[in-house]
Amino acid sequence: MKKSIQIFLFAFTFICTITSFAQDKLATKGDGQYEEYSFSPAIDIYKKVLDKGYVSVALLKNLGNSYYFNANYKEASEIYKRLVKDYGEEVGPEYFFRYAQTLKSIGDYKEANAVMTKFSEVTADDARAKGFKEEKDYLKEIKKNSGRYTIKSFQYNTSYSEFAPSFYKEGLIFSSDRDTGNFARYRHTWNSKDFLDLYKVNTSNGSDSLVSRLGDDVNTRLHESTSAATKDGKILYFTRNNTVEGKYKKDEKGVIRLKIYRATFVDSINAWSNIAELPFNSDSYSVAHPALSPDEKTLYFSSDMPGSLGASDIFKVNINEDGTYSAPTNLGDAINTESRETFPFVTSEDVLYFSSDGHPGLGGLDVFATKIAKDNFDGAIVNVGESINSKMDDFTFIFNEETKKGYFASNREEGKGADDIYSFIENEPLLLDCNQQITGVVRDKISNQVLVGASIKIIDEDNQEILSAITDSKGAYSLELDCNQGNFVRALMEGYVPAEEYIGKSDGKAKIIDFYLERDKILAGFGDDLAKLLQLSTIYFDFDKYIIRKDSEIEVEKVIAAMEKYPSLKIKVNSHTDSRGKDSYNLWLSQKRAEATVDYMISQGISKDRLSGEGYGETKLVNDCKNGVKCTGKEHELNRRSEFIILE
């Protein structure tokens, strides 16, 4: 590693679609009088059944989804928790993921990560699982971003060390030891000799410009490095070793920490004045490498202060109008890793460039970039590629978005000194934005009619809406989303149950997502089958038996809950069998099963005069699986059904 960066890093201690009640097309209503009943994704019915002690996978799924799509995330998390705990082997991975989402929404990130780990274990092909478990092919990504720059050696390099360029008026300020050059001495003895100082040069004058050392007001017998100046050149932030009364101060571990200082240029004396350390410095940890936001209201820096995720993290503070500073804020784990993130720089387009050896790179410190517009620090982290990055350390990257020119430092072998500054021109832009077009059509699931005016919303992984659209006269929509992050595409329409699909990080290829929405209220009347409207699972009986099995009681309980909600509702229970077995026996068995169902409902408090039952055996098959026709088990199963027909 380069010697100068050893001081300023290692001395730094950087040493279901939701299931609803309307699955099938409404049966044709009878000609007579009927009373209409409204069945919604009724939380009240499911909750009542659950409170009575009846539970199943389907009930928990439906109840959890009802809470989830109504943004009742606390309630949803409790139901999903029960679902994945008691029926983890039976539910699909989507419910682990939704459970994790609800946990994030209520702030339980630790448990959310634990659930995501389980999610990644039960699915192999899901993009979310891959993104959670694996890093993408970083060498391929680096290669894709390489070859975009033309670089050349900084004409003011010497055989000593030059690094840490920063824009200053019409030129640069940079750090160098050119006036002493005694690295061995300062690395081992830390004596009082002058070592790293700050210099300035007017780069607009070409080779005729003279490099000059900043005055003794800024430069001392200590080490000064990494600076950031305001656009008017009046304020300068810079890094210096921790001192007391001009002498180095070590912490309890014997480390000489770094601090950021602020200086003001006074025209009347043509010198820097009012030099003071920033209030969030400490004798116990390092604060260094300042960078200003484009509006100069935010100061970014590196530190190993408490709350750091790794050897050094990037933080920010707000610069208040009265000259005070907010408390430091860590930029988060999308940017910071367990290793080193340091040397931040922010462009006029709110692109944060920084150096890291924690993100996948080519070796040593590499330069990375990410968009931080609107204080969003969760964007994709992109390696800027060769030839900026190399197998050596590449750092202190700065860039002018308007001129497409910039500078960085490196200790690559072809350099002139220990560390050299390089200038560069960006020939092709770095692709930080990933836009993916999403199109589709929204239809009614039962009628297949297009739904005009349906809302399509893009929801990020923090359940925040970021985009929306309305379907046109053909039920179609089109949206462009950020494919650097995972998103939910959610379809909503008044009178319908919401539906959504998750799209993980992707390569940006266009995707078609059609939605088939189910009505949230079903108008039911004479002749309609509650088994279809309530989406009852098959009510099973043991072979050659007509006593309702325990695992089927919950399905009948849903009908009971509906009848309790509507006291005038009367039901006829129809029982059917498949064609296998003797016709007469099937007729007798189905009659006994219908009667057993009615008896069960009576035992649960439903009045006898509201119920009747009839068995049809194999006389009303729903397919062609009659006697003598070879059918699969699933085809036969369709005929073994129970119906709950509304009489009035």
Side-chain angles (χ1 to χ4, degrees):
M1 171 176 273
K2 71 195 73 53
K3 302 176 181 66
S4 57
I5 199 171
Q6 277 184 312
I7 294 300
F8 285 91
L9 282 179
F10 289 112
F12 191 6
T13 64
F14 312 161
I15 291 186
C16 127
T17 302
I18 179 176
T19 53
S20 77
F21 299 95
Q23 185 177 12
D24 301 298
K25 189 174 181 180
L26 286 174
T28 304
K29 290 183 169 54
D31 295 331
Q33 294 290 324
Y34 64 88
E35 182 177 355
E36 292 185 340
Y37 301 93
S38 174
F39 296 96
S40 63
I43 289 176
D44 55 339
I45 288 180
Y46 280 139
K47 187 70 167 60
K48 188 170 184 178
V49 173
L50 191 63
D51 289 343
K52 290 173 71 173
Y54 295 94
V55 65
S56 71
V57 173
L59 186 143
L60 292 176
K61 284 182 178 180
N62 287 339
L63 183 55
N65 289 342
S66 295
Y67 283 132
Y68 178 83
F69 282 110
N70 282 285
N72 297 324
Y73 298 119
K74 184 176 185 300
E75 292 85 351
S77 69
E78 293 171 356
I79 299 300
Y80 286 147
K81 179 180 181 180
R82 187 171 178 180
L83 177 66
V84 302
K85 179 183 178 182
D86 295 343
Y87 302 98
E89 298 296 324
E90 300 178 45
V91 300
E94 188 64 28
Y95 287 89
F96 284 89
F97 186 77
R98 284 188 182 171
Y99 178 34
Q101 285 299 111
T102 61
L103 289 169
K104 289 181 182 178
S105 297
I106 61 176
D108 193 351
Y109 295 102
K110 182 178 180 180
E111 185 61 20
N113 286 338
V115 175
M116 279 299 294
T117 299
K118 294 180 181 177
F119 167 76
S120 65
E121 291 171 354
V122 297
T123 181
D125 298 324
D126 193 288
R128 294 164 291 180
K130 291 180 178 179
F132 184 75
K133 292 190 298 183
E134 303 172 358
E135 293 177 336
K136 50 190 176 180
D137 186 348
Y138 70 92
L139 291 176
K140 181 179 178 181
E141 291 296 312
I142 293 173
K143 184 176 181 180
K144 182 175 69 175
N145 294 326
S146 296
R148 298 178 301 102
Y149 301 98
T150 299
I151 71 169
K152 67 177 184 177
S153 180
F154 186 51
Q155 66 187 80
Y156 304 105
N157 287 329
T158 68
S159 58
Y160 299 105
S161 186
E162 282 78 31
F163 69 105
S166 66
F167 293 120
Y168 177 68
K169 294 185 176 180
E170 296 180 343
L172 298 175
I173 290 176
F174 62 92
S175 183
S176 176
D177 70 318
R178 59 178 60 203
D179 289 339
T180 56
N182 197 337
F183 273 109
R185 184 177 298 174
Y186 88 63
R187 275 190 294 145
H188 298 295
T189 64
W190 292 88
N191 63 15
S192 59
K193 297 291 185 181
D194 291 338
F195 300 119
L196 290 169
D197 281 342
L198 293 175
Y199 296 79
K200 64 180 179 179
V201 62
N202 186 340
T203 56
S204 65
N205 291 336
S207 59
D208 294 332
S209 293
L210 296 176
V211 174
S212 60
R213 182 176 174 272
L214 293 189
D216 290 339
D217 38 13
V218 172
N219 288 317
T220 64
R221 292 187 301 172
L222 311 174
H223 299 287
E224 286 80 27
S225 181
T226 53
S227 62
T230 55
K231 296 182 183 70
D232 61 9
K234 298 295 186 182
I235 304 295
L236 179 70
Y237 295 91
F238 63 95
T239 304
R240 176 187 287 170
N241 284 118
N242 185 20
T243 63
V244 174
E245 296 180 352
K247 295 182 179 180
Y248 293 116
K249 178 178 173 58
K250 297 181 180 180
D251 65 9
E252 62 277 6
K253 296 179 181 179
V255 176
I256 301 173
R257 299 292 181 173
L258 302 179
K259 292 184 175 182
I260 296 178
Y261 291 76
R262 181 183 185 274
T264 303
F265 192 80
V266 180
D267 291 324
S268 60
I269 61 173
N270 195 34
W272 295 99
S273 182
N274 302 318
I275 297 175
E277 66 172 272
L278 299 188
F280 46 88
N281 288 330
S282 173
D283 294 336
S284 301
Y285 52 79
S286 290
V287 175
H289 316 321
L292 286 166
S293 62
D295 62 7
E296 300 180 348
K297 294 181 179 180
T298 303
L299 182 71
Y300 296 88
F301 60 92
S302 298
S303 179
D304 60 345
M305 65 175 57
S308 297
L309 303 177
S312 64
D313 284 7
I314 299 176
F315 291 78
K316 73 179 182 78
V317 294
N318 297 328
I319 303 173
N320 301 319
E321 292 185 3
D322 62 0
T324 60
Y325 302 86
S326 68
T329 299
N330 190 299
L331 296 198
D333 58 8
I335 291 173
N336 294 315
T337 70
E338 293 80 6
S339 297
R340 297 172 301 163
E341 281 69 46
T342 186
F343 301 119
F345 177 80
V346 183
T347 72
S348 60
E349 299 298 321
D350 284 320
V351 176
L352 169 67
Y353 289 90
F354 63 97
S355 288
S356 170
D357 60 1
H359 296 280
L362 296 174
L365 290 167
D366 272 20
V367 177
F368 296 84
T370 184
K371 285 281 283 186
I372 58 170
K374 300 179 181 178
D375 267 357
N376 178 9
F377 302 105
D378 295 326
I381 308 300
V382 178
N383 187 303
V384 303
E386 298 177 301
S387 53
I388 296 294
N389 289 324
S390 68
K391 65 180 181 180
M392 304 299 285
D393 289 311
D394 309 292
F395 58 105
T396 57
F397 180 101
I398 62 174
F399 180 54
N400 185 315
E401 295 273 15
E402 184 177 350
T403 65
K404 303 300 178 185
K405 296 179 180 180
Y407 301 86
F408 71 101
S410 178
N411 67 338
R412 56 192 60 184
E413 295 177 356
E414 62 267 30
K416 203 171 187 179
D419 303 307
D420 280 353
I421 295 173
Y422 295 84
S423 64
F424 68 84
I425 297 175
E426 184 186 68
N427 303 310
E428 297 178 27
L430 180 65
L431 297 179
L432 289 169
D433 296 321
C434 178
N435 298 317
Q436 182 177 27
Q437 187 178 37
I438 306 297
T439 59
V441 175
V442 182
R443 299 177 181 273
D444 183 297
K445 186 173 183 178
I446 295 175
S447 69
N448 206 41
Q449 294 296 310
V450 299
L451 296 180
V452 179
S455 295
I456 306 296
K457 298 181 182 294
I458 305 299
I459 312 293
D460 66 19
E461 292 183 328
D462 294 320
N463 290 317
Q464 300 298 312
E465 179 183 334
I466 54 177
L467 286 173
S468 65
I470 302 295
T471 56
D472 60 20
S473 60
K474 297 181 180 179
Y477 73 92
S478 178
L479 279 169
E480 203 170 73
L481 53 75
D482 180 1
C483 50
N484 280 323
Q485 64 180 34
N487 294 282
F488 297 89
V489 184
R490 184 175 296 177
L492 307 97
M493 181 79 173
E494 185 175 355
Y496 289 84
V497 176
E500 73 178 13
E501 182 168 331
Y502 178 84
I503 302 177
K505 294 180 181 180
S506 72
D507 57 7
K509 292 181 180 179
K511 187 175 180 67
I512 298 174
I513 302 177
D514 294 328
F515 289 100
Y516 295 86
L517 301 186
E518 301 174 352
R519 292 187 178 274
D520 65 357
K521 294 182 180 180
I522 300 301
L523 298 179
F526 179 81
D528 288 334
D529 181 6
L530 283 183
K532 291 182 178 180
L533 302 183
L534 295 179
Q535 288 191 313
L536 299 186
S537 299
T538 302
I539 297 174
Y540 289 107
F541 298 83
D542 288 329
F543 178 72
D544 203 25
K545 304 290 183 182
Y546 49 83
I547 302 300
I548 295 177
R549 290 189 348 197
K550 283 292 184 183
D551 58 358
S552 290
E553 288 180 359
I554 190 170
E555 303 305 316
V556 184
E557 283 292 334
K558 295 175 186 177
V559 178
I560 292 173
M563 295 189 74
E564 290 174 343
K565 185 174 182 179
Y566 300 102
S568 62
L569 181 63
K570 293 185 178 182
I571 295 295
K572 180 186 177 187
V573 180
N574 294 340
S575 180
H576 304 268
T577 69
D578 60 39
S579 62
R580 292 175 292 186
K582 292 183 177 181
D583 295 1
S584 59
Y585 179 78
N586 285 340
L587 189 63
W588 174 83
L589 182 62
S590 64
Q591 179 65 34
K592 299 299 288 184
R593 288 177 172 176
E595 292 173 359
T597 304
V598 169
D599 290 343
Y600 176 85
M601 297 175 72
I602 293 172
S603 73
Q604 298 301 306
I606 302 300
S607 175
K608 181 178 181 180
D609 60 7
R610 298 176 63 192
L611 297 167
S612 62
E614 184 175 356
Y616 291 90
E618 57 186 270
T619 62
K620 293 189 175 184
L621 301 176
V622 296
N623 52 30
D624 293 328
C625 294
K626 55 189 176 182
N627 292 335
V629 176
K630 187 176 181 179
C631 290
T632 65
K634 286 188 175 297
E635 289 171 329
H636 280 302
E637 186 178 293
L638 295 175
N639 292 309
R640 297 197 308 272
R641 67 197 190 279
S642 293
E643 299 170 332
F644 295 84
I645 306 300
I646 296 175
L647 297 180
E648 59 177 273

